[in-house]
Amino acid sequence: MAEAGTVCRSHASAWSYFSQRVIPIHEGGTIMLHTVKDLERYAIHASDGIIGHVRGAYFDDESWVVRYLVVDTGGWLANRKVLISPMSVAGVNQLDRVLSVSITRQQVKGSPDIDTDKPISRQHESGYLGYFGYPYYWGNGGFWGAGSFPSLLLNVSEHGMAGSDGLSNIERTQRISEAGSGPGDDAHLRSCEAVAGYRIEASDGHIGHVKGFLVEEATWAIRYLIVATSDWWIGHDVLIAVRWIDKVSWLENSVTVGLTRQAVKGSPVYDTSRVLDREHEVSVFKHYKKTGYWTD
């Protein structure tokens, strides 16, 4: 699976620029991470007005990347919930907690209905992506297609670049939508809200539960689980990188990691009230004697 190191400014600008009040995503070269809970406080602004507010997120359980934000449209669309892809995101205003998207309210109004209280199938995804003219993200080994950034995937698609089968991403997405779901096409989407609370099992026993998720701005990759150890000992919150996950049991609501209980107990304390900086990340990886994802 391809990993993101530093982000090219041309790609980062598609995410970062919204107004003169925007906070750059690179403070001293560091990619910022936010909790999913923090994102749930953001308003979504289309090119012609407000759409609604973020109420949740779906990630795929193969690459651990956020694929959709669940947006509550409020009274405008009778409280209908809609999905917004990171490929739509054009900018972020962190001070006012606003995400700007490069679609219109009318497009959102006419988008396919998806019941966010039920599993989202690959067929539903294909219909959604086809409606907006977006390429599909699955396959090719990267976070987004063959690369790491949704803006890059969308840029490749808009220029009509074809894959090894001779089809552009949009043409391929449309064919998938027309064909419907087949065997092996089950979606791997999980609700962040549903996974919060999963038990965390170390290599030698129980250590806590999932309290939240830290998402990287540029790639939308979930880099860490926020783990509360208070149900194991009179502990604290710690970070566990998703790359250290050995197994997830969706039926038993548990996550097994390749770490010992003692190692987790002695790991650096994570303060959810503070923005995670690279210094803290380095201390976490150094504690576990692991190599940071930013060096890939």
Side-chain angles (χ1 to χ4, degrees), residues 2-263:
E3 294 277 344
T6 55
V7 181
C8 297
R9 292 190 181 275
S10 59
H11 299 150
S13 61
W15 166 272
S16 299
Y17 180 76
F18 175 64
S19 74
Q20 291 183 348
R21 299 183 64 193
V22 75
I23 298 174
I25 68 171
H26 292 287
E27 295 291 352
T30 298
I31 299 175
M32 293 183 66
L33 295 98
H34 297 285
T35 66
V36 170
K37 277 295 183 184
D38 185 54
L39 290 175
E40 290 177 0
R41 299 165 64 185
Y42 275 68
I44 303 293
H45 279 200
S47 57
D48 55 354
I50 191 169
I51 293 174
H53 288 78
V54 178
R55 288 294 179 263
Y58 279 95
F59 69 94
D60 78 68
D61 61 21
E62 293 183 315
S63 59
W64 288 78
V65 175
V66 170
R67 299 303 181 187
Y68 303 100
L69 297 174
V70 179
V71 177
D72 188 338
T73 59
W76 170 55
L77 287 180
N79 294 312
R80 175 185 166 195
K81 290 185 175 63
V82 298
L83 299 182
I84 298 294
S85 167
M87 286 184 278
S88 303
V89 175
V92 57
N93 183 327
Q94 294 182 7
L95 296 180
D96 293 334
R97 297 187 179 280
V98 170
L99 290 174
S100 65
V101 293
S102 56
I103 52 179
T104 66
R105 283 161 55 98
Q106 189 61 36
Q107 283 179 296
V108 172
K109 184 177 181 179
S111 62
D113 282 324
I114 296 178
D115 189 345
T116 56
D117 292 327
K118 296 180 179 179
I120 298 176
S121 69
R122 183 54 52 81
Q123 185 176 13
H124 285 140
E125 280 196 272
S126 298
Y128 173 93
L129 296 172
Y131 170 80
F132 283 103
Y134 291 157
Y136 70 84
Y137 60 80
W138 49 88
N140 296 320
F143 284 155
W144 297 91
S148 295
F149 313 105
S151 58
L152 179 59
L153 176 62
L154 188 60
N155 184 58
V156 169
S157 173
E158 289 175 343
H159 285 81
M161 296 180 67
S164 59
D165 56 7
L167 299 175
S168 70
N169 280 320
I170 290 180
E171 290 172 331
R172 197 178 299 109
T173 298
Q174 290 172 338
R175 289 197 179 185
I176 292 174
S177 181
E178 292 167 358
S181 289
D185 282 340
D186 293 336
H188 292 272
L189 295 178
R190 307 285 175 177
S191 163
C192 288
E193 182 180 6
V195 176
Y198 273 32
R199 299 190 318 278
I200 302 291
E201 303 291 335
S203 58
D204 54 354
H206 178 70
I207 55 174
H209 66 272
V210 177
K211 185 175 180 178
F213 309 84
L214 275 167
V215 180
E216 185 179 79
E217 282 187 345
T219 63
W220 290 83
I222 296 176
R223 292 298 186 182
Y224 302 97
L225 301 179
I226 302 172
V227 176
T229 64
S230 56
D231 50 350
W232 164 42
W233 66 298
I234 188 167
H236 48 253
D237 293 340
V238 299
L239 297 180
I240 292 181
V242 297
R243 59 167 55 188
W244 303 335
I245 294 174
D246 285 342
K247 181 180 67 175
V248 181
S249 175
W250 307 109
L251 293 177
E252 297 178 358
N253 297 344
S254 67
V255 179
T256 302
V257 297
L259 307 169
T260 66
R261 284 158 57 97
Q262 190 59 41

